[in-house]
Amino acid sequence: MGVVVTDGAGADVSKLRELNSLSIVRAMRGQPPATVTELATRTGLSRPGTDVVVRGLVSDGWVKVVEPDGSSVGRPARRYRFNADAGHVLGVDVGGHKILVLLADLEGQVLHSHRLPVEPDADPAARLEAVDTAISQCLTAAGMRPDQIWAVTVGVTGPVDATGRTTLFTPLPGWASVSPTEHLATRFTCPILVENDCKLAAVAERWQGAAQDADDIVYLLAGMRTGAGLILDGTLRRGYGGAAGEIGALKAVRWISAPSHIENCPGMPGDVHPNDKAAWVFERAREGDRAARTALRRYVKDLAVGAAALVLTLDPQVVILGGGYSRSADLLIDPLEQELRRLCLRVPEIRASDLGADSVALGALRVALDQIDARLFTDGMPAPLTLHA
Amino acid sequence: MGVVVTDGAGADVSKLRELNSLSIVRAMRGQPPATVTELATRTGLSRPGTDVVVRGLVSDGWVKVVEPDGSSVGRPARRYRFNADAGHVLGVDVGGHKILVLLADLEGQVLHSHRLPVEPDADPAARLEAVDTAISQCLTAAGMRPDQIWAVTVGVTGPVDATGRTTLFTPLPGWASVSPTEHLATRFTCPILVENDCKLAAVAERWQGAAQDADDIVYLLAGMRTGAGLILDGTLRRGYGGAAGEIGALKAVRWISAPSHIENCPGMPGDVHPNDKAAWVFERAREGDRAARTALRRYVKDLAVGAAALVLTLDPQVVILGGGYSRSADLLIDPLEQELRRLCLRVPEIRASDLGADSVALGALRVALDQIDARLFTDGMPAPLTLHA
């Protein structure tokens, strides 16, 4: 039935007040300060009922009073805003070449970010040390202690299983049996989640990126690696064992070889740094260089086979092109669409990501905030101070 | 927030009673007759509240009183059962070679079934005429009029768009612009739904077949055609344009050519009927015939590429092997699993369908019943007589 309804007049009043508290908090978040009357309208609750709940939220610390500034005539109504500083979350991207840490408030506003380069061949100990350092520097910059963080999400490369490990496959050297959750649990008492980087990037695109209007999304990571993250009906698809979106492992869809067309483009000078090879090819292609254009065309042809497999399987509303190569999306989207027209029954809209290199850490923030919301629904809304532990 | 809660004591009592009616009906369906006390326990409602609602449901015609049979000592409590005969639904499978019509009550009990062969190359007019005839014969056998049917679902081959047509692709000759909904609307006043056959078969497997315990399901149609139906989180995935599951259209996954290994097996006598070719090959393979075994091995190798694309994309809990060839699933499942082990990161359980050739029409029944449930939730539960129109 989906809805549990207690028996008429015997409805559980304290549970009802809790649900109403959550309704009001949700109606406040991300919005300018509002009066009780406005909040009552937004939530559909009565004005007196809203007033009682708002007072409770103020005394618990979830809501702040915004005193009238006296500029208007007469006695203006008192306004209230969600206390986004009641708690904070961390989003961490553990990449091949960098660690990125974002710190945000409960409305998802990024307050601090810290990026640390890491050697591609760093072993797990070195990589985890870089994670620790980046987190410490981010917290210090924000003037915050670990016990003020309510949730942490860590993005890694490879499918993440139920224990937060990437045992099935990961390109991070030696990382298969690493548990970021266990490692960070020595510093944080809050929930620590681990998730696949492409999945987090997909979440970020729907939250703040190019897919905010869509519920059925295929996110393509197009870069030195090729990957996918899937959102259906607005929900991230993890798969039964955490391995959804790993179509790239199938040789027949040609994602494994796709980036080599670009990375090994004929005519590339020997002194181009691996990180700059793609930029070199895209630049030459813009200038009309024949070898670079051929490399791009071959890359898109290979990318399109796996993309077509995803589109034919899921029939999404949009495909988001993200990852390092998406900085040159203008060179990729049209030929990709042409290939998909050739291969698919129905071609969805293809859009370029505009979140850049932050998308994984941003998605990690969103997952951390969702975790907090889920706890509020399960445990109700005690005073914020008791929640983070 | 998901839950709309009216303001405390001001809760909308008639809406609450409607929700409680639905709770009680759901607690009754598919169950033996129950007392008011038992129903109160199952639903969590109070005994007096349950009593009031049950009396209302009896007078509306949704619930029947089961009088005590007098065999027990003392005065036994009156029992109630859901009146499954209050309405009926039709599930229709419009196949290449046959029309199958199932008629069921509101608990999904099949009361009558009628099968009519149809020529594979029949044009739409001939195929629709066969549909009409099969429906008429089924209704006549059941002693029922079209206006006693509350919902009809029609299964067809090819992705079904929002208008109920298969404009993107269908192997049924000339069928692309046919609207079974418009055709049947001249006879039925109830809702008429159209859905893709593989999707309906997947629904049937979760309802009554091999996937009853699973929420994330890939259904494979293995037969003279190869297709897929996807269920994620217990919900059938239609895709944004109705074309989810159409991975078979991608040449690279080799489903288009897969059945030809079996249908064109060397050594097949010229007089074997097209419908019997697969059975001939499976029989020879069982006897150890080398050509037949090679044909099977090649078929499975091709089937596995598309299956791997689905498994890697979705990471489902189970793969159900259905369709005509699944009658010989014992010869297919082990080699398919071996291939998937080679191609995938994580291999789900593979099970054979046991619903046989009825699965599409069975899934159609389930979709029709779901449509009725959805209407009950939207429109509430008036007396059954007013519902079907």
Side-chain angles (χ1 to χ4, degrees):
Chain A
M1 198 112 281
V3 177
V4 176
V5 181
T6 56
D7 193 14
D12 180 329
V13 172
S14 83
K15 189 71 200 164
L16 210 57
R17 186 163 294 167
E18 205 155 275
L19 285 172
N20 290 347
S21 297
L22 287 162
S23 291
I24 288 171
V25 161
R26 216 163 251 215
M28 278 184 174
R29 274 201 304 206
Q31 301 289 331
T35 64
V36 166
T37 307
E38 285 163 356
L39 291 170
T41 309
R42 270 183 224 162
T43 55
L45 305 176
S46 76
R47 206 200 159 284
T50 304
D51 196 51
V52 170
V53 172
V54 168
R55 280 165 202 272
L57 287 168
V58 170
S59 76
D60 279 350
W62 287 106
V63 166
K64 290 268 190 196
V65 181
V66 181
E67 293 299 345
D69 62 4
S71 66
S72 57
V73 182
R75 194 169 142 238
R78 179 171 276 186
R79 289 177 180 278
Y80 299 89
R81 65 171 175 81
F82 177 62
N83 180 16
D85 287 323
H88 295 86
V89 295
L90 287 179
V92 184
D93 176 6
V94 180
H97 301 75
K98 65 142 200 297
I99 310 294
L100 173 62
V101 179
L102 299 182
L103 184 147
D105 66 19
L106 294 183
E107 282 185 342
Q109 196 74 41
V110 176
L111 306 178
H112 282 274
S113 85
H114 199 82
R115 181 184 308 258
L116 210 61
V118 62
E119 287 302 317
D121 58 356
D123 67 12
R127 207 173 291 272
L128 285 171
E129 202 186 312
V131 169
D132 289 338
T133 308
I135 288 177
S136 295
Q137 290 172 342
C138 188
L139 288 175
T140 304
M144 234 169 249
R145 298 183 314 272
D147 67 357
Q148 290 173 293
I149 301 299
W150 286 13
V152 180
T153 303
V154 181
V156 296
T157 301
V160 174
D161 67 18
T163 73
R165 288 179 174 85
T166 46
T167 45
L168 283 176
F169 164 77
T170 176
L172 296 178
W175 192 263
S177 62
V178 173
S179 169
T181 307
E182 282 172 16
H183 178 78
L184 291 176
T186 60
R187 273 176 98 184
F188 292 95
T189 53
C190 65
I192 300 156
L193 308 161
V194 186
E195 187 52 279
N196 168 263
D197 51 4
C198 293
K199 293 188 178 71
L200 293 175
V203 167
E205 294 295 342
R206 184 162 186 269
W207 183 31
Q208 301 194 344
Q212 292 179 51
D213 59 335
D215 285 332
D216 290 347
I217 303 158
V218 166
Y219 170 86
L220 296 182
L221 179 89
M224 279 149 73
R225 289 180 306 114
T226 315
L230 314 172
I231 290 177
L232 300 178
D233 277 351
T235 303
L236 177 67
R237 298 306 319 173
R238 300 202 70 258
Y240 191 68
E246 297 291 335
I247 180 85
L250 188 67
K251 235 179 170 176
V253 305
R254 287 155 49 180
W255 277 9
I256 298 166
S257 59
S260 67
H261 296 298
I262 289 182
E263 309 292 330
N264 304 325
C265 178
M268 181 139 22
D271 61 348
V272 177
H273 188 275
N275 288 355
D276 301 328
K277 284 182 173 179
W280 187 91
V281 175
F282 284 115
E283 216 177 298
R284 287 305 156 284
R286 268 182 221 291
E287 292 165 357
D289 179 83
R290 183 182 290 250
R293 286 182 164 251
T294 304
L296 275 199
R297 200 175 57 245
R298 288 186 178 154
Y299 170 70
V300 168
K301 263 184 123 56
D302 281 2
L303 178 70
V305 180
L310 294 173
V311 166
L312 283 164
T313 298
L314 301 168
D315 189 17
Q317 181 181 353
V318 294
V319 170
I320 304 295
L321 188 73
Y325 295 179
S326 72
R327 278 190 293 273
S328 300
D330 58 311
L331 292 175
L332 298 173
I333 284 186
D334 281 352
L336 178 59
E337 193 178 336
Q338 278 172 36
E339 282 298 308
L340 291 184
R341 286 213 181 285
R342 214 169 51 81
L343 298 171
C344 298
L345 296 177
R346 198 191 72 80
V347 177
E349 196 186 338
I350 308 173
R351 299 178 192 164
S353 161
D354 47 14
L355 296 178
D358 287 3
S359 61
V360 176
L362 266 178
L365 287 182
R366 181 66 260 170
V367 167
L369 292 168
D370 288 346
Q371 203 281 338
I372 291 174
D373 278 8
R375 262 190 293 161
L376 294 182
F377 272 98
T378 313
D379 306 343
M381 295 194 77
L385 273 178
T386 65
L387 191 79
H388 74 276
Chain B
M1 194 115 280
V3 178
V4 176
V5 181
T6 56
D7 194 14
D12 180 329
V13 172
S14 83
K15 188 71 201 163
L16 209 58
R17 186 161 296 165
E18 206 155 273
L19 285 171
N20 290 348
S21 296
L22 287 161
S23 291
I24 288 172
V25 162
R26 217 164 250 215
M28 277 185 176
R29 274 201 303 205
Q31 301 289 330
T35 64
V36 166
T37 308
E38 286 162 355
L39 291 171
T41 308
R42 269 183 225 163
T43 54
L45 306 177
S46 77
R47 204 200 160 286
T50 304
D51 197 50
V52 171
V53 172
V54 168
R55 280 168 202 272
L57 288 168
V58 170
S59 77
D60 278 350
W62 287 106
V63 165
K64 289 269 190 194
V65 182
V66 181
E67 294 297 346
D69 64 2
S71 66
S72 58
V73 182
R75 195 169 142 239
R78 177 173 276 187
R79 290 176 180 278
Y80 299 89
R81 67 169 174 83
F82 177 62
N83 180 17
D85 287 323
H88 294 86
V89 295
L90 288 180
V92 184
D93 176 6
V94 180
H97 301 75
K98 64 140 199 296
I99 310 293
L100 173 62
V101 178
L102 298 182
L103 183 147
D105 66 19
L106 294 184
E107 282 185 342
Q109 196 75 40
V110 175
L111 305 178
H112 283 274
S113 86
H114 198 81
R115 181 183 309 258
L116 211 60
V118 62
E119 288 304 317
D121 57 357
D123 66 11
R127 206 173 293 271
L128 285 171
E129 201 187 311
V131 169
D132 289 338
T133 308
I135 288 176
S136 295
Q137 290 172 343
C138 188
L139 288 174
T140 304
M144 234 168 248
R145 299 182 314 271
D147 67 357
Q148 289 174 293
I149 302 299
W150 287 13
V152 180
T153 303
V154 180
V156 296
T157 300
V160 174
D161 67 18
T163 73
R165 287 179 175 85
T166 46
T167 44
L168 284 176
F169 164 77
T170 176
L172 297 179
W175 192 262
S177 63
V178 173
S179 169
T181 307
E182 282 172 16
H183 178 78
L184 291 175
T186 59
R187 274 175 98 183
F188 293 95
T189 53
C190 65
I192 300 156
L193 308 160
V194 186
E195 186 52 280
N196 168 265
D197 51 4
C198 293
K199 294 187 177 71
L200 292 175
V203 167
E205 293 295 343
R206 183 159 186 270
W207 182 32
Q208 301 195 344
Q212 292 178 51
D213 59 335
D215 284 333
D216 290 345
I217 304 158
V218 166
Y219 171 86
L220 295 181
L221 178 90
M224 279 151 71
R225 286 181 307 115
T226 315
L230 314 173
I231 290 177
L232 300 177
D233 277 351
T235 303
L236 176 67
R237 300 305 319 172
R238 300 203 70 257
Y240 191 69
E246 296 292 334
I247 181 83
L250 188 68
K251 235 178 169 177
V253 304
R254 286 154 49 180
W255 276 10
I256 297 165
S257 58
S260 67
H261 296 299
I262 290 183
E263 309 292 330
N264 304 326
C265 177
M268 181 137 25
D271 61 348
V272 177
H273 188 275
N275 289 355
D276 300 328
K277 284 181 172 179
W280 185 91
V281 175
F282 285 115
E283 215 178 296
R284 288 305 157 279
R286 269 181 221 288
E287 291 164 356
D289 179 82
R290 183 182 289 249
R293 288 184 163 250
T294 303
L296 274 197
R297 200 174 58 246
R298 290 187 176 153
Y299 170 71
V300 168
K301 264 185 124 56
D302 282 2
L303 179 68
V305 180
L310 294 173
V311 166
L312 283 164
T313 298
L314 300 168
D315 189 18
Q317 180 181 354
V318 295
V319 170
I320 305 294
L321 189 72
Y325 294 179
S326 72
R327 277 189 294 270
S328 301
D330 58 310
L331 292 175
L332 298 174
I333 284 186
D334 282 352
L336 178 60
E337 193 177 336
Q338 278 172 37
E339 282 297 308
L340 291 184
R341 289 213 178 286
R342 213 169 53 79
L343 298 171
C344 298
L345 297 176
R346 198 191 73 78
V347 178
E349 197 184 336
I350 308 173
R351 300 178 191 161
S353 162
D354 48 14
L355 295 178
D358 287 3
S359 61
V360 175
L362 267 177
L365 286 181
R366 181 66 260 169
V367 168
L369 291 167
D370 288 346
Q371 204 280 338
I372 290 174
D373 278 9
R375 262 189 294 162
L376 294 182
F377 273 99
T378 313
D379 306 342
M381 295 194 77
L385 271 179
T386 66
L387 192 79
H388 73 277

